[in-house]
Amino acid sequence: MALSVSARKQLPAFELKISFSVPAGNVLAVIGPSGSGKSTLLRIIAGLDAPDRGYIALKGAPLVDTQAKLILPPQRRHIALVFQDHGLFPHMTLKENVLYAAKDKHMAIALLERFGIVSLRGNLPAQLSGGERQRGAICQALAMKPAALLLDEPFSALDLENRLTLRREVVDLTKAMGIPVVHVTHDLHEALDVGDTLLALRMGRSDEQWKQRQLTLLAEELKPREGGILPAPAMAERLAAS
Ligand SMILES: Nc1ncnc2c1ncn2[C@@H]1O[C@H](COP(=O)(O)OP(=O)(O)OP(=O)(O)O)[C@@H](O)[C@H]1O
C-alpha cells in the first residue's frame, strides 16, 4: 500500500476517527457534508495538523507514529496539497511558481505545456484567470514529484468544461506517475468520475449508509423525467425558442 492512514483527533463537535489505504496510482475520493472533517483529514496527512493518535505511512515509511512520538514536519513528507484557491505565490510569475519546488525543471515546463498555460508563464497569478491559476497550482504540485497528492475541492470554482478536462488530466497524470491521491469534493459526480474508491465521511467517520443514500439520491436525480430527457439538439431548440 502506498499511503496508509489511521488517525484519531478530537474536534469540538465529534471525534475524527478514520483508517484507510490508497494504493499507488489510485484515487480515494472523499465526500461528506460541510464540517464532516474532510479538510482536517487532509491537513493531518499533509502535516499541517497533528492527530491525537495515529499512524500514517507512505511507501512503507512512517510519517506519523504517535506511539513512537514521531510526527514528521510537512516539508519532510513529500506530499503536495492543492486547495480550491490555488496557493501560488503572488509575487512570482507562473513559471517561477512552478519551478520553485520542482525536482525536474524539464518536467515542470512540460507540465505547463500539457495544461495549456505555457504561453502565460511570464504572468503573475493576478494576471491569470481562476482556471489558469488552478492549472498552475496543479503543475506546481506535480512538478515537485510528490509521493502523494492531496486535493481539497481543487476544481469547484471552475466552469464545467475546465472542471471535466482538468480532473481527467490529473487522474491520467497521477496514474502514470504512480502516486496515491486523496481527492476531497462535494460533487458526487466528480467523486465517482475520479475515484477508484469512494469514502463518505460524516461526523468524522466513514458512513456507508449515508454513502448509499447519496448514491440513491444521485440516481434519482439522473432518472429521465416523464417523457424522457430531451436529446441535446431538441433541448437546444427548445431553449432557443423560449
Ligand atoms: N483549527 C480548528 N479548531 C477548532 N475546530 C476546528 C478547526 N478546524 C476545523 N474545526 C472544526 O472541525 C470540524 C471539521 O472541519 P473541516 O474543515 O475538516 O470540515 P470539512 O468537511 O472540510 O468542511 P467543508 O466541506 O465545509 O470544507 C468542523 O466542525 C470545524 O468547525
Side-chain angles (χ1 to χ4, degrees):
M1 294 299 171
L3 173 67
S4 312
V5 176
S6 175
R8 297 174 77 140
K9 185 177 179 70
Q10 187 60 52
L11 297 173
F14 54 81
E15 185 188 42
L16 177 74
K17 184 173 180 230
I18 196 82
S19 289
F20 58 80
S21 299
V22 190
N26 272 33
V27 179
L28 173 74
V30 182
I31 56 163
S34 206
S36 58
K38 305 182 297 295
S39 298
T40 306
L41 171 64
L42 294 190
R43 291 172 58 80
I44 288 174
I45 301 171
L48 303 174
D49 211 335
D52 300 330
R53 281 200 275 159
Y55 182 85
I56 302 175
L58 193 49
K59 291 185 184 169
L63 308 178
V64 171
D65 182 350
T66 50
Q67 266 193 341
K69 300 204 184 318
L70 170 78
I71 297 199
L72 284 189
Q75 66 275 17
R76 290 189 50 205
R77 297 192 184 197
H78 306 294
I79 292 178
L81 176 57
V82 178
F83 299 100
Q84 182 179 338
D85 50 355
H86 66 95
L88 298 172
F89 296 111
H91 60 289
M92 289 186 188
T93 64
L94 175 61
K95 183 178 168 187
E96 286 164 349
N97 261 291
V98 173
L99 288 182
Y100 173 73
K103 286 241 173 71
D104 176 340
K105 308 244 180 280
H106 293 293
M107 180 193 173
I109 301 300
L111 280 167
L112 287 173
E113 275 167 11
R114 176 154 184 173
F115 281 89
I117 48 175
V118 73
S119 63
L120 303 169
R121 59 189 176 278
N123 289 25
L124 294 170
Q127 299 165 320
L128 299 170
S129 75
E132 290 158 356
R133 281 196 290 266
Q134 252 350 65
R135 284 166 197 267
I138 301 271
C139 288
Q140 187 188 52
L142 292 175
M144 287 169 55
K145 286 197 178 171
L149 177 65
L150 309 178
L151 302 169
D152 197 351
E153 298 274 359
F155 312 131
S156 56
L158 305 183
D159 62 84
L160 181 63
E161 192 172 350
N162 259 303
R163 207 154 70 219
L164 295 178
T165 319
L166 255 185
R167 74 191 190 205
R168 276 282 116 217
E169 283 282 336
V170 172
V171 169
D172 290 349
L173 266 170
T174 51
K175 288 212 179 291
M177 292 166 81
I179 55 178
V181 178
V182 182
H183 184 142
V184 164
T185 175
H186 276 113
D187 180 348
L188 183 54
H189 247 144
E190 179 162 294
L192 293 171
D193 184 30
V194 300
D196 297 288
T197 319
L198 181 61
L199 168 71
L201 199 63
R202 199 161 150 266
M203 306 278 283
R205 313 275 166 126
S206 167
D207 188 331
E208 274 300 310
Q209 257 187 330
W210 186 81
K211 175 161 108 182
Q212 290 310 323
R213 200 159 68 244
Q214 303 311 301
L215 292 170
T216 308
L217 284 173
L218 182 65
E220 226 9 76
E221 170 85 12
L222 295 177
K223 217 160 67 182
R225 300 280 171 270
E226 203 177 324
I229 291 179
L230 288 176
M235 180 73 83
E237 214 168 277
R238 179 186 278 190
L239 288 172
S242 63

